[in-house]
Amino acid sequence: PLLQGQISSHLAMGQYASADERQRYMYKVQVRSMEAGQPRALAFMQQANWQYNAYQLQLGERSYSRLMNMWDLYRLALNDMIEREGQTSPQLLIPLQGMLQAQYLITAYDPQSETSSHDSPDDLGARQELNRFYAYRAQSYDKGAAVIMAMRDIELANHGPQSVQAAQRMVMLGDWQLWNEERSESMETYRGAIMELAERDDAQIQIDQLFGEAVALPDVDGVRALPAEVGTEQANILLEFAVNQKGRVVDLERVDDNDAPKGKTNRFMRKLRKTRFRPRFEAGEPVGTEKIVRAYNIE
């Protein structure tokens, strides 16, 4: 509790490096003093969440190390919980969600953006850490898919086949495949989810919930590529675009006359062009969507 209080104080005062140091020390204390059980699993997840926050704050010289730590800590929490609760406990979804976030971030991250400015070519420790990251990233696609399938197995065990929860995990797998440029596999996965939902009495309602509009990827809290949409009264940029059947943004144009900074606007529009979308589906097949209008505040 004393360390937690110190960390809270450092965060309140914006002293993030000091908070980071106290987090590292608290982790050492927790590992040495806690036996396997719920408190230790919660401690692992709290530390994993801090690694995510430290990554967002760009604390330290090699941010990609935070992502590897994040994955490892959530995995430790998962293993601890499996020993107590078994393979199908809904509580396992919490660390699995964190592990999926880590894989999205690992896949997207380019370590060259910071290694050139911080690390000497003769720095053996830096080279080893970078090689370790590349090894993590080489396995990222398979690990992400395995995490999602573990989540689906839990939903199947607790809610059964044809359940909305199980189908949502299938869609999550399709999103992961599409985001990783595995388009054929993703379309088959999406169709599989639609076929599962087709057995339900409320099939069309549930299918429309998941496939009634184009959805920006990743569609996962904490790693979304785009900011949240806002109402037109709060927005400083209004964009119109289309998403084709492959999930690509086309025909993007600005349709407002607000005074948003031109440089920020152009960067945001480039980012939107590069964002992959889950396409809309009709009758079990992907289709294009025209004249999508979205409002954002990009200050």
Side-chain angles (χ1 to χ4, degrees), residues 269-287:
M269 291 178 71
R270 285 196 296 271
K271 184 175 185 178
L272 179 55
R273 282 192 185 95
K274 294 178 181 178
T275 299
R276 182 61 72 94
F277 279 69
R278 179 198 315 150
R280 184 168 58 89
F281 275 68
E282 288 184 358
E285 294 299 323
V287 296

Side-chain angles (χ1 to χ4, degrees), residues 146-166:
V147 166
I148 296 169
M149 290 308 297
M151 299 170 85
R152 176 171 160 81
D153 288 343
I154 292 169
E155 303 291 15
L156 287 170
N158 287 277
H159 301 285
Q162 286 81 53
S163 65
V164 173
Q165 293 87 344

Side-chain angles (χ1 to χ4, degrees), residues 194-233:
I194 291 172
M195 290 177 63
E196 286 189 6
L197 291 171
E199 302 296 322
R200 296 176 56 90
D201 293 338
D202 59 348
Q204 197 57 52
I205 294 173
Q206 298 300 335
I207 291 170
D208 288 344
Q209 284 284 333
L210 294 169
F211 296 103
E213 63 179 20
V215 177
L217 304 180
D219 186 29
V220 175
D221 290 340
V223 293
R224 298 181 192 278
L226 302 176
E229 298 170 52
V230 298
T232 53
E233 63 277 5

Side-chain angles (χ1 to χ4, degrees), residues 207-267:
I207 291 170
D208 288 344
Q209 284 284 333
L210 294 169
F211 296 103
E213 63 179 20
V215 177
L217 304 180
D219 186 29
V220 175
D221 290 340
V223 293
R224 298 181 192 278
L226 302 176
E229 298 170 52
V230 298
T232 53
E233 63 277 5
Q234 289 91 33
N236 61 358
I237 181 171
L238 191 66
L239 301 173
E240 180 179 298
F241 58 96
V243 173
N244 65 23
Q245 66 180 14
K246 295 182 179 180
R248 297 290 189 185
V249 172
V250 296
D251 301 329
L252 173 63
E253 61 178 325
R254 186 175 178 182
V255 293
D256 68 87
D257 55 2
N258 296 330
D259 57 355
K262 186 176 180 179
K264 287 186 177 180
T265 298
N266 290 339
R267 285 193 294 274

